[in-house]
Amino acid sequence: MESLVARIAATGPVSVADFMDAACSHYYAQGTAFGTQGDFTTAPEISQMFGEMIAACLADAWMQAGKPEKVQLIELGPGRGTLAADVMRTFAVWPDLAKAASLHLVETSPALRDQQAKTLEKYPDVHWHERLEDVPEGFTLLMANEFFDALPIRQFEKLADGWAEKAVGFDAEKDAFFFTTLPLEDIAAIPPDFQDSAPGSVFETGPASLAVMETLAARIEEQDGLALVFDYGHAGPALGDTLQSLRRHEYTKVLENVGEQDVTAHVDFSALGAAAGNALVHGPVTQHDFLGALGIAQRAQALAAKASPKQRMDIERALYRLTAPSEMGHLFKVLGLTRGQGRIRPAGFDATTDGSAR
Ligand code: SAH
């Protein structure tokens, strides 16, 4: 993190967004984030059933579109490649789809690209890209799990005399980062409804997330297809400081172990949906409702029927972690994106899909 410290020493505190960008890039570059040995466990790392449900939803969309002969299967931020591998394996159920699909991974960390290549070594048609813009055109099936939460957010804080941008400084004597504020250039960054909030209130925006969402929506409009976004967060605009950090499965202080721990923020699904332009937004529905509608309980039963007693317990435990409201079931949400005038109606969104979107 020397370059961040040097930058702060030279030009003063940086915005929370610039801090998060530097800390997360450094962190993901090491490739040590995932699994029991790492800092956190994501849904695809919990169970193959997660990827199987996603594969079923994507395959259904492909069939609704008339089984296009060329499919770009894209994943944003694939981590260890586990979800992509589970989806590719499940696509074998539909041989024409398995044949049609090229896999495109949008990943910036070289260490994680290496891990993904190992996980996916039996699939010849895998390509890596720095940005979604670089993926070749074609009918699109896209997934992103815990990708948007890792993109930098800006934070604004209401002080006694008005709104300011939260920032991070560095105290050389104490050898420690600290939170501070910078003058806010443009009050329009704060939605009118929140401008009169009480001192101490925090408002967040994710400019990087919104930019990816705009690109994604434009791609779905042009190429047709389905995008599925999974993340934890809130369905409507909200105040609150959601910046958090995890190290070895424990919550930590965001400004400690900088670059050595996972720093994320809750995703504002209403802001993502609003950035989707003419594309049709489905949900967000809870992960509980989405996986339930796609039949995860039945899949768990089928797997359990062939399993040893120990495996049966693991399957039950995984189902619980993925869907129980007190686990990932309610906090995690799923947003779908299809072409505005298209015919795809993705499975899994019936629970709360707004009637006007159908
Ligand atoms: N989807 C995986 C990993 C989530 S962690 C899972 O569910 O297990 C976030 C992932 O996004 C990592 O692979 C990280 O390297 C990648 N990432 C973070 N910022 C990125 C960016 N700006 N562009 C591309 N990938 C990014």
Side-chain angles (χ1 to χ4, degrees), residues 28 34 40 42-45 75-80 106-109 112 116 130 145-147 150-151:
Y28 285 116
F34 308 95
F40 58 94
T42 55
E45 303 287 341
E75 183 173 3
L76 305 179
R80 291 205 284 207
V106 178
E107 174 61 70
T108 41
S109 159
L112 287 176
Q116 291 152 17
E130 282 286 311
N145 185 61
E146 292 207 46
F147 170 74
L151 298 185

Side-chain angles (χ1 to χ4, degrees), residues 117-238:
K118 280 198 196 95
T119 309
L120 291 156
E121 64 190 355
K122 68 174 174 187
Y123 300 103
D125 197 1
V126 186
H127 313 267
W128 279 266
H129 309 275
E130 282 286 311
R131 304 174 318 149
L132 177 59
E133 286 87 334
D134 304 332
V135 179
E137 54 189 39
F139 181 81
T140 294
L141 297 177
L142 181 142
M143 54 208 174
N145 185 61
E146 292 207 46
F147 170 74
F148 285 96
D149 67 29
L151 298 185
I153 56 155
R154 291 176 74 185
Q155 285 191 318
F156 307 98
E157 186 176 348
K158 183 75 176 284
L159 305 177
D161 57 352
W163 286 93
E165 174 136 17
K166 276 190 88 172
V168 175
F170 186 77
D171 184 329
E173 260 170 45
K174 292 189 186 143
D175 192 25
F177 290 95
F178 62 89
F179 281 115
T180 177
T181 57
L182 294 167
L184 176 58
E185 311 283 330
D186 182 9
I187 185 70
I190 314 296
D193 286 357
F194 291 147
Q195 286 185 3
D196 291 333
S197 308
S201 301
V202 172
F203 178 73
E204 301 175 341
T205 58
S209 292
L210 300 184
V212 174
M213 200 61 189
E214 282 167 17
T215 304
L216 175 53
R219 182 181 172 100
I220 293 290
E221 272 299 279
E222 277 162 28
Q223 313 292 335
D224 199 10
L226 169 64
L228 295 174
V229 172
F230 297 78
D231 229 308
Y232 61 98
H234 37 280

